[in-house]
């Protein structure tokens, strides 16, 4: 049986003038996953999210959100979706609590009789209980970000769409948000997390799609993506020849030699300890031996380029 | 369940947002200041106005304080009330877009049509609050500074104090109707931009243009179609018997403007990409 998809797009495209901000992307977000939507600034993440939530109309392509067609059955899907889009936004002249009450009152499917409890629970969950009566204009960016998350959590959700949820948070706040995401995911909620920070995606996500200039350039399990880059064995020794000989005997070839260091691509599952023992038994004096796991960083930079400049 | 279907909770929430803003109260306070300034100025000036000098009713104010509200309405109707209406109506959608709250309302999901309707109704409530504030404060300050008694109408008829209050309420309702078309224009303009100040200014400009067109005799054929056309005619409610003609025509005219610009706002807002 095919895996159930929480979000599925086909050929999704959004054109602004003659620029394709999103260029024919086909997302497949499995239910229950923590799905990283990774890409540098301007790569089209927020624009994609706007289309997923029916805020903007796709120029071309199809969207299925929680099994319903968007925008046709938008109102069937939205009550099950919590979202943070392009940063939080609130009425600065109202308290955090009143802002949540307001948004929940606007929701045509929400239950008024449980409104106050749900708002309190959401404030509790993001640690804003004590600041709930403060006006939002007195909130720090981090507090607004939390309030935005509280808004996404006003009702039980099947999926959370979070657009750069740790933007503007201090390290402490960032950690708390990550923990919150983990605990929500543990409850079975699918998380669609956009970020320009690879480290964040690596820490939290099971799956990833990498965006660059409006296109998805890689998508799948994080593990698979990481393994596309080779694992390297690094060996430092003064007995280069003997070492190369021994490596060959163990099926490790194509050694690159630089000074006293040998580098070669190996199977990620290589048993370094037993290899080391074999080297020693051949009288190779090993100064250092280790595996260099490929980092997603390498892959990401390779895919999206190193530059600081926004691509367009 | 019933309340939900009718969107009453959303409507109350709109009002709560509106009346939490200091701006709303500042505008109502400014409206209240008009009859106060008028009455104080009249009370302080010893110079007697000859009949026909100054705004209509100004002479009557000194003789009967209950006229203060009517006179203040004459002063506020051409510019100041439309100014507050343009602020509120121009802000309806553009204000939410500017804050970014519009996207969260839409994904809550509020329903675009429902939001548009509730925004418009809330702006009508503001207009009602404004016109009634002006009339009530006018009557109060007039009663404090001047003698109060049965009111002699334009046609020479005299009505009781009690009936005079009824006429005040009618005038407030009439001016609310008068401004409702303009509010619909503002609602439409508000769907065009994410900059509320721009929408407010443009809305105010439309009432200015309408006033100017209305004063060019060569354009007489269009005058009766302008949303400002019946603005001054609330005085017809101060006759005995009341001349209902201008009230009815005004209602029909304003409904026309509401229909046209409501439809335009609907067409625009329901298909618009929300990129703010
Ligand atoms: N309203 C808009 N009009 C024109 N271009 C836009 C608009 N919004 C976004 N873009 C362009 O679309 C591209 C993608 O933007 P966005 O989706 O916000 O990227 P990200 O969220 O990945 O940083 C950018 O090049 C941006 O300039
Ligand atoms: Mg973005």
């Amino acid at each position: 049986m095919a895996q159930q998809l929480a979000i599925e797009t086909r050929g999704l495209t959004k054109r602004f003038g003659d620029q394709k901000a999103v260029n024919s992307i086909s997302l497949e977000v499995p239910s229950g996953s923590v799905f990283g939507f990774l890409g540098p600034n301007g790569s089209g993440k927020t624009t994609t999210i706007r289309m997923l939530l029916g805020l903007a109309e796709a120029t071309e392509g199809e969207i299925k959100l929680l099994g319903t067609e968007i925008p046709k059955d938008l109102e069937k899907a939205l009550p099950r979706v919590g979202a943070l889009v392009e940063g939080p936004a609130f009425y600065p002249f109202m308290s955090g609590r009143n802002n949540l009450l307001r948004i929940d009152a606007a929701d045509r499917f929400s239950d008024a009789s449980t409104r106050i409890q749900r708002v309190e629970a959401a404030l509790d969950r993001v640690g804003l209980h004590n600041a709930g009566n403060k006006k939002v204009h007195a909130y720090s960016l981090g507090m607004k970000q939390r309030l935005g998350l509280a808004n996404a959590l006003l009702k039980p959700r099947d999926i959370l769409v979070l657009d750069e949820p740790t933007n503007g948070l201090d390290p402490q706040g960032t950690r708390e948000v990550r923990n919150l995401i983990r605990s929500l995911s543990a409850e079975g909620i699918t998380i669609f997390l956009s970020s320009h920070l690879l480290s964040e995606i690596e820490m939290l996500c099971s799956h990833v799609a990498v965006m660059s200039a409006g296109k998805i350039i890689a998508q799948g399990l994080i593990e698979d993506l990481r393994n596309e880059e080779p694992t390297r064995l690094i060996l430092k020794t003064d007995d280069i020849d003997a070492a190369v000989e021994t490596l060959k005997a163990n099926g490790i070839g194509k050694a690159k030699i630089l000074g006293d260091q040998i580098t070669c691509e190996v199977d990620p599952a290589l048993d370094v300890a037993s290899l080391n023992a074999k080297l020693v038994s051949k009288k190779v004096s090993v100064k250092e031996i280790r595996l260099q796991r490929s980092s997603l960083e390498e892959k990401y930079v390779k895919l999206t380029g190193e530059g600081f400049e926004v691509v367009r | 369940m019933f309340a939900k279907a009718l969107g009453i909770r959303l409507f109350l929430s709109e009002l709560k947002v509106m009346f939490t803003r200091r701006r709303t109260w500042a505008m109502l306070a400014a409206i209240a200041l008009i009859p106060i300034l008028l009455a104080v100025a009249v009370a302080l000036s010893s110079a007697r106005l000859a009949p026909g000098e100054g705004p209509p009713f100004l002479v009557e104010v000194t003789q009967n304080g209950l006229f203060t509200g009517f006179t203040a309405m004459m002063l506020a109707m051409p510019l100041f009330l439309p100014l507050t209406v343009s602020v509120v109506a121009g802000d309806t959608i553009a204000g939410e877009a500017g804050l970014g709250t519009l996207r969260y309302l839409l994904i809550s999901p509020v329903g675009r049509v429902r939001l548009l309707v509730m925004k418009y109704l809330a702006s009508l409530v503001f207009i009602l609050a404004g016109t009634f504030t002006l009339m009530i404060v006018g009557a109060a300050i007039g009663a404090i500074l001047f003698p109060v008694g049965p009111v002699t109408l334009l046609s020479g008829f005299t009505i009781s104090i009690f009936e005079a209050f009824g006429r005040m309420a009618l005038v407030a309702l009439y001016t609310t109707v008068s401004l409702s078309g303009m509010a619909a224009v503002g609602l439409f303009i508000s769907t065009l931009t994410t900059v509320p100040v721009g929408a407010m200014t443009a809305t105010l400009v439309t009432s200015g243009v309408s006033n100017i067109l209305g004063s060019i005799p060569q354009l007489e054929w269009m005058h009766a179609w302008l949303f400002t056309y019946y603005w001054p005619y609330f005085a017809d409610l101060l006759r005995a018997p009341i001349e209902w003609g201008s009230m009815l025509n005004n209602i029909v005219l304003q409904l026309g403007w509401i229909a046209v610009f409501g439809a335009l706002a609907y067409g625009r807002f329901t298909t618009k990409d929300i990129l703010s």
Side-chain angles (χ1 to χ4, degrees):
Chain A
M1 194 186 90
Q3 198 174 10
Q4 248 196 332
L5 296 176
I7 300 175
E8 187 181 6
T9 73
R10 213 163 296 155
L12 186 62
T13 300
K14 181 72 188 180
R15 206 190 314 242
F16 291 121
D18 47 14
Q19 177 201 356
K20 283 186 175 170
V22 176
N23 191 351
S24 191
I25 68 171
S26 296
L27 275 169
E28 293 190 356
V29 179
S31 281
S33 65
V34 181
F35 192 99
F37 195 40
L38 178 63
N41 292 324
S43 57
K45 303 183 297 294
T46 302
T47 305
T48 303
I49 289 174
R50 285 185 195 283
M51 289 189 284
L52 294 180
L53 300 175
L55 291 171
E57 201 181 354
T59 310
E60 275 166 49
E62 291 161 28
I63 303 171
K64 265 195 173 174
L65 177 60
L66 299 174
T68 61
E69 266 176 61
I70 305 294
K72 199 172 126 258
D73 289 325
L74 186 65
E75 299 222 325
K76 250 187 235 162
L78 281 181
R80 298 155 65 200
V81 181
L84 191 64
V85 188
E86 184 104 310
F90 294 100
Y91 307 95
F93 48 87
M94 287 181 14
S95 69
R97 180 173 280 114
N98 281 338
N99 265 285
L100 294 187
L101 289 171
R102 150 77 170 162
I103 298 181
D104 196 67
D107 178 351
R108 58 192 303 183
F109 302 105
S110 84
D111 179 1
S113 65
T114 58
R115 178 164 302 142
I116 291 173
Q117 291 128 269
R118 287 182 292 109
V119 165
E120 293 309 317
L123 285 171
D124 273 345
R125 185 126 203 203
V126 299
L128 277 181
H129 189 79
N130 294 325
N133 285 334
K134 239 190 205 168
K135 292 216 166 106
V136 167
H137 75 72
Y139 275 26
S140 67
L141 181 54
M143 289 162 81
K144 284 183 201 158
Q145 198 73 259
R146 286 160 187 248
L147 192 61
L149 285 167
N151 172 40
L153 296 174
L154 279 174
K155 294 203 285 191
R157 311 288 194 185
D158 291 338
I159 184 168
L160 289 174
V161 176
L162 304 176
D163 191 10
E164 316 238 8
T166 57
N167 254 5
L169 292 180
D170 54 17
Q172 165 81 15
T174 305
R175 225 174 4 252
E176 284 169 23
V177 167
R178 283 184 191 143
N179 287 336
L180 181 61
I181 290 175
R182 285 193 191 99
S183 73
L184 290 164
S185 167
E187 291 169 22
I189 303 173
T190 308
I191 314 271
F192 185 76
L193 174 72
S194 103
S195 177
H196 64 277
L197 297 173
L198 174 71
S199 56
E200 183 154 293
I201 300 284
E202 250 189 315
M203 247 180 275
L204 291 169
C205 298
S206 54
H207 294 67
V208 68
V210 183
M211 286 283 280
S212 174
K215 288 200 174 119
I216 292 183
I217 48 179
Q219 178 169 214
L221 279 168
I222 280 208
E223 271 319 303
D224 293 348
L225 211 62
R226 189 182 277 139
N227 289 340
E228 281 175 22
E229 291 299 295
T231 303
R232 293 192 187 86
L233 175 74
I234 312 260
L235 173 61
K236 280 189 183 174
T237 174
D238 290 328
D239 311 317
I240 298 280
D241 291 341
V244 170
E245 204 61 26
T246 313
L247 289 176
K248 252 190 202 145
N250 285 283
I252 302 169
K254 287 191 205 151
K256 276 187 210 136
I257 298 160
L258 190 74
D260 64 347
Q261 177 173 317
I262 302 171
T263 311
C264 32
E265 293 185 7
V266 294
D267 182 340
L270 175 75
D271 182 352
V272 183
S274 78
L275 180 65
N276 187 34
K278 279 176 192 154
L279 285 164
V280 172
S281 74
K282 297 285 179 190
K283 301 278 190 286
V284 176
S285 73
V286 175
K287 288 197 284 190
E288 181 183 337
I289 183 166
R290 65 188 164 88
L291 280 184
Q292 189 183 53
R293 299 255 170 224
S294 65
S295 74
L296 209 50
E297 176 102 37
E298 258 174 90
K299 178 81 182 172
Y300 184 45
V301 169
K302 201 184 257 180
L303 288 170
T304 61
E306 194 101 45
F308 174 69
E309 200 57 41
V310 175
V311 182
R312 31 170 212 176
Chain B
M1 202 59 231
F2 197 57
K4 198 148 128 188
L6 288 174
I8 283 174
R9 296 223 168 79
L10 174 58
F11 179 62
L12 293 178
S13 164
E14 283 300 328
L15 294 184
K16 186 172 164 189
V17 172
M18 179 184 281
F19 287 99
T20 306
R21 298 194 90 146
R22 237 180 276 163
R23 188 180 74 194
T24 308
W25 292 105
M27 287 194 296
L28 290 178
I31 289 173
L33 216 54
I34 295 172
I36 293 175
L37 285 177
L38 172 78
V40 170
V42 169
L44 291 182
S45 75
S46 49
R48 290 251 143 184
L49 288 172
E53 206 182 338
F57 309 135
L58 206 51
V59 185
E60 282 89 343
V61 168
T62 52
Q63 287 144 27
N64 191 338
L66 292 182
F67 271 102
T68 311
F70 300 129
T71 312
M73 188 60 90
M74 274 291 178
L75 296 178
M77 200 51 214
L79 186 65
F80 195 76
L81 283 181
L83 177 73
T84 62
V85 172
S86 64
V87 168
V88 169
D91 196 54
T92 44
I93 301 296
E96 300 278 359
L99 284 175
T101 42
L102 182 56
R103 61 177 181 269
Y104 288 107
L105 291 177
L106 292 183
I107 61 183
S108 70
V110 68
R112 293 192 186 204
V113 180
R114 191 162 158 265
L115 182 66
L116 208 55
V117 171
M118 292 306 153
K119 281 284 179 190
Y120 181 70
L121 293 180
S123 63
L124 288 189
V125 170
F126 173 81
I127 301 174
L128 267 180
T131 56
F132 272 89
T133 299
L134 189 139
M135 294 310 286
I136 291 169
V137 172
I141 190 74
I144 292 169
L145 295 180
F146 306 108
V148 168
V151 174
T152 308
L153 295 173
L154 300 178
S155 43
F157 230 79
T158 299
I159 56 172
S160 68
I161 293 182
F162 186 71
E163 207 186 333
F165 279 114
R167 300 287 176 111
M168 283 181 206
L170 269 182
V171 167
L173 287 174
Y174 180 94
T175 44
T176 301
V177 169
S178 291
L179 293 166
S180 62
M182 181 187 172
V185 174
L187 181 74
F188 168 61
I189 293 175
S190 194
T191 62
L192 301 177
T193 172
T194 58
V195 186
V197 178
M200 294 172 193
T201 311
T203 308
L204 187 60
V205 166
T206 62
S207 80
V209 168
S210 185
N211 269 324
I212 290 169
L213 293 178
S215 64
I216 300 176
Q218 282 78 4
L219 299 177
E220 209 182 336
W221 55 270
M222 69 156 69
H223 286 177
W225 298 92
L226 297 170
F227 65 75
T228 50
Y229 182 72
Y230 291 99
W231 284 10
Y233 293 129
F234 69 83
D236 286 355
L237 298 172
L238 301 180
R239 299 178 198 280
I242 294 176
E243 283 178 22
W244 290 102
S246 47
M247 178 71 137
L248 291 178
N249 289 337
N250 194 13
I251 289 175
V252 171
L253 175 73
Q254 300 299 335
L255 283 178
W257 280 86
I258 293 169
V260 171
F261 279 85
L264 286 173
Y266 169 86
R268 166 72 183 164
F269 188 57
T270 50
T271 56
K272 184 188 184 187
D273 277 357
I274 306 302
L275 300 169
S276 56

